[in-house]
Amino acid sequence: MLSKALRSAPASATATILAAAAGFSILAALLAAPFAFGQMVEKATVDVVADRTSYAPGETVRLAAMVELESHWHVNSHTPSFDYLIPTTLELDVPEDFGDVEYTYPLHELQTFAFTEEPIAVYDGAFPILAAFDLPEDAAAGPMAVTASFLYQACDDRQCLPPVTVERTVELAIGAAGESTQLAVFGAGPSAGASTGSTAAAEAGVDRGLLLTLLLGLVGGLILNAMPCVLPVLSLKVFGLVKSAGQGRSHLVMGALATTAGVLVSFWLLAAAAILAAQAGAAVGWGIQFQQPAFVAFLAVIVVLFSLNMWGLFEIILPQGLAQLGGSGAREGLAGHFASGLFATLMATPCSAPFLGTAIGFALAQPASVIFLVFTAIGLGLALPYLALAAFPRAAGILPKPGAWMNTFRGVMGFLLAAAAVWLFYVLAGQISSERLAFVQLTLLALALFTWMLRGARAGSAWRKIAIVGVAATACGTIVLAAGAPPASQGGAVTATALHDWIPFDEQEAERLTAEGRMVFIDFTADWCLTCKATERAVIETQDIAAAFERHGVVPMKGDWTNRDDVIAEFLSRYGRSAVPFYILYRPGQDPHAFGEVLTKGGLIDVLDASAALASAG
């Protein structure tokens, strides 16, 4: 039998604590994210000029964005060679009654770079982008400000920086027709062969890329369900859906929809954090909140409490109104399913899935609406199994019928969640000192003790009040201990293993070794990144890779991003990355090779062999 110790507790207080816990978890993620990276790097100077000193109503206004790139840098054409490339675009903010804006982009050049075997269309050096629009016949006389937004991604022969949006404002005078200016720019009109088009045409490349990115986000979110980060939550949902299926079709559908709502709301909050960070001039990364010990400790508190709940030490009872809303009496109700959706998103963030990095990297370079859409697509992907169950509730027939087996299953799931807590301790071990970690673990043990004391305590008794205060105090104490802890003496990721003698990441050392004729393989990882650990175990820490490293004299270097490190963040940013894992190979006489999101043994060995052959031939 499951414990009913808290059934006499004030239900509203329990629900309030649960809601506050869920809200605080999202808040912790939001607070951590905006400070993960430094300022965006700009490689272009932009100035906007007009073709006249003033304009009469009904005349055509022509503006030019004068762009000058730093030496050895280029940007993609506004019609890029591939859909996944970020186009260079200019957009004017003019009133709707002005009609479409016609843009004229320069001719691009086809160039080949180290990171691609096929030529791509680019702009480099100095070039103008022209824009023209007609003033209405009844345009009011006086000054008018026009804001131009210039979006570009700067790349050199080795790397691509995160995309940047530059805004410039030009003041136009509306009244009498003025004199022509900037004849060198506007006098000859559009260059022969230059491409022109309306606002919609200029954004066509972005639209194609957006559709592909939304699909990648949806698939990446779906794959997250199979990641070890989400499995504990998935097991809880299996248990909840089995109970809902036993209560009827409507309970099952409403529970699945409530879980989906929880997932989507949490992703919308993360999107809001990304938008705010972008407005502040910073970038965010996937799972970066796990660099904050306070957040990891808070999640450990939640996981431990869930484990204790699975073992029957207490039950979470919702207020009668919410329970009736969920149609489940004193059971989980809609609010419980919603909270599990929030929890699923939190547990998903330390895992990266194929296509997820590409989708997020694209989104963070786009306007707020696109960021919102991409994060929604990822959330829908994560919630897709629940949406499918809501759309086809008869599929619940494959779930086992409720019965006595659920008590055993619930206990097993409690141990699975306890394993997640052990993993969180492992993450904390790389972030805080061992002494402080011991105190954190003892505080969590006290939390379990006070929770156990609640079992059987009479409502209103002094014993029960002491236990409730103890639960609250130890939960807060765990977070405070982790937040104020001194950092660990060294991260656990940069260590010698049975197969490789890793050295800490040092870009200058990597360049020095490359100049001496040696290849350097750099693995950017973090203790909280389960995808990183899985790839290391399945690919990097294998005999095949060790033999390849020895055959080619490769120096293994590891960048540990368990804790915030601005040097690593800046390096990742230069390569357009916002998350780990990230793998790159420095090669003598060649540009570094950045690997894709999914690293395989065959792919790594092929690059090593090809790089060694080119170095020998040179």
Side-chain angles (χ1 to χ4, degrees), residues 297-534:
F298 172 77
L299 200 54
V301 170
I302 296 298
V303 169
V304 167
L305 286 175
F306 266 100
S307 297
L308 297 176
N309 175 250
M310 288 290 100
W311 290 331
L313 265 68
F314 71 96
E315 294 285 345
I316 298 175
I317 307 302
L318 297 176
Q320 187 66 24
L322 288 178
Q324 290 176 350
L325 178 62
S328 57
R331 298 177 183 81
E332 185 177 18
L334 293 183
H337 289 293
F338 181 85
S340 67
L342 297 175
F343 189 40
T345 301
L346 286 179
M347 292 300 291
T349 50
C351 274
S352 179
F355 315 120
L356 198 61
T358 300
I360 293 177
F362 176 88
L364 296 181
Q366 303 301 319
S369 58
V370 176
I371 294 176
F372 183 83
L373 285 174
V374 173
F375 274 72
T376 299
I378 298 172
L380 285 173
L382 184 62
L384 201 55
Y386 313 120
L387 283 173
L389 200 57
F392 306 101
R394 291 185 179 180
I398 64 176
L399 298 176
K401 301 297 182 183
W405 66 269
M406 294 176 64
N407 291 338
T408 302
F409 180 80
R410 180 167 179 165
V412 171
M413 293 304 100
F415 281 102
L416 187 59
L417 286 169
V422 172
W423 165 67
L424 291 172
F425 296 151
Y426 166 73
V427 174
L428 280 173
Q431 297 177 324
I432 62 178
S433 65
S434 57
E435 295 83 2
R436 187 61 65 96
L437 176 60
F439 280 110
V440 169
Q441 292 169 327
L442 287 173
T443 308
L444 284 171
L445 184 62
L447 172 67
L449 173 63
F450 283 119
T451 304
W452 172 79
M453 287 170 57
L454 286 170
R455 183 174 184 173
R458 296 193 309 273
S461 65
W463 190 255
R464 186 176 188 84
K465 293 178 181 178
I466 292 174
I468 292 175
V469 172
V471 168
T474 51
C476 294
T478 301
I479 300 169
V480 171
L481 281 171
S489 56
Q490 74 173 51
V494 185
T495 57
T497 64
L499 297 176
H500 303 297
D501 291 325
W502 294 98
I503 62 175
F505 167 68
D506 185 325
E507 186 176 7
Q508 292 182 346
E509 178 67 8
E511 292 175 349
R512 186 188 67 80
L513 291 168
T514 304
E516 293 178 356
R518 305 190 65 181
M519 287 191 286
V520 181
F521 176 79
I522 309 177
D523 171 18
F524 290 96
T525 183
D527 287 348
W528 41 262
C529 174
L530 290 182
T531 306
C532 305
K533 300 304 176 186

